[in-house]
Amino acid sequence: MTPYIADMTAAAALLAEMPAMDVAGRLGRLRALLAGAGCDALLVTKLEHLRYLTGFSGSAGLLAVTASSALLCTDGRYRDQARAQLAAAGVEAAVHVDRPAGQLEAIRRALGGGTRLGLEAANISWARVRHLGE
């Protein structure tokens, strides 16, 4: 059992020496790619991607990213967590808390009409895409 403890101590020491992740810079790097992809905005629906881009670790959320803004939508369970995790990561994004229909409406308002919206095609249903277009 002692070697396991020693290995865990060594691992903890190595992790402590690692630099903090640059979560705050990720949205900017994504924004730089939007126009080249033919998009004005991207709707992030895969939770792993949402966490990578914002630091938010909740189990429900959508992220709309435009060239100048970001909107994280989630439900009431994550009201405080979402704001705290984005602030801790240094991510500038508005947070909207609502039921799913209200979240989609907030995204539509934030994007405005005529927006060329990029989607994570492997992670969004056709029904949801149609609902976004209504």
Side-chain angles (χ1 to χ4, degrees), residues 1 4 14 31 38-39 45 47 49-50 52 56 61 63-65 80-81 85 91 111 118 124:
M1 187 166 212
Y4 178 77
L14 286 173
R31 287 182 175 117
C39 302
T45 54
L47 292 173
H49 298 164
L50 198 146
Y52 175 81
F56 174 64
L63 177 68
V65 181
D80 298 331
Q81 177 183 332
Q85 288 181 328
V91 172
L111 297 178
I124 190 165

Side-chain angles (χ1 to χ4, degrees), residues 15-115:
L15 288 174
E17 293 176 21
M18 293 180 69
M21 290 190 300
D22 177 26
V23 176
R26 292 175 180 166
L27 282 179
R29 291 190 296 274
L30 172 62
R31 287 182 175 117
L33 301 172
L34 288 175
C39 302
D40 299 316
L42 176 67
L43 180 62
V44 179
T45 54
K46 190 169 177 93
L47 292 173
E48 294 90 341
H49 298 164
L50 198 146
R51 184 170 189 174
Y52 175 81
L53 290 168
T54 67
F56 174 64
S57 65
S59 65
L62 300 169
L63 177 68
V65 181
T66 69
S68 61
S69 66
L71 173 65
L72 171 67
C73 294
T74 190
D75 63 49
R77 297 173 294 168
Y78 301 111
R79 177 184 313 275
D80 298 331
Q81 177 183 332
R83 290 184 176 98
Q85 288 181 328
L86 269 62
V91 172
E92 292 185 30
V95 176
H96 181 83
V97 178
D98 205 340
R99 295 180 311 246
Q103 293 173 23
L104 292 177
E105 181 57 35
I107 289 169
R108 278 196 291 269
R109 281 193 313 270
L111 297 178
T115 300

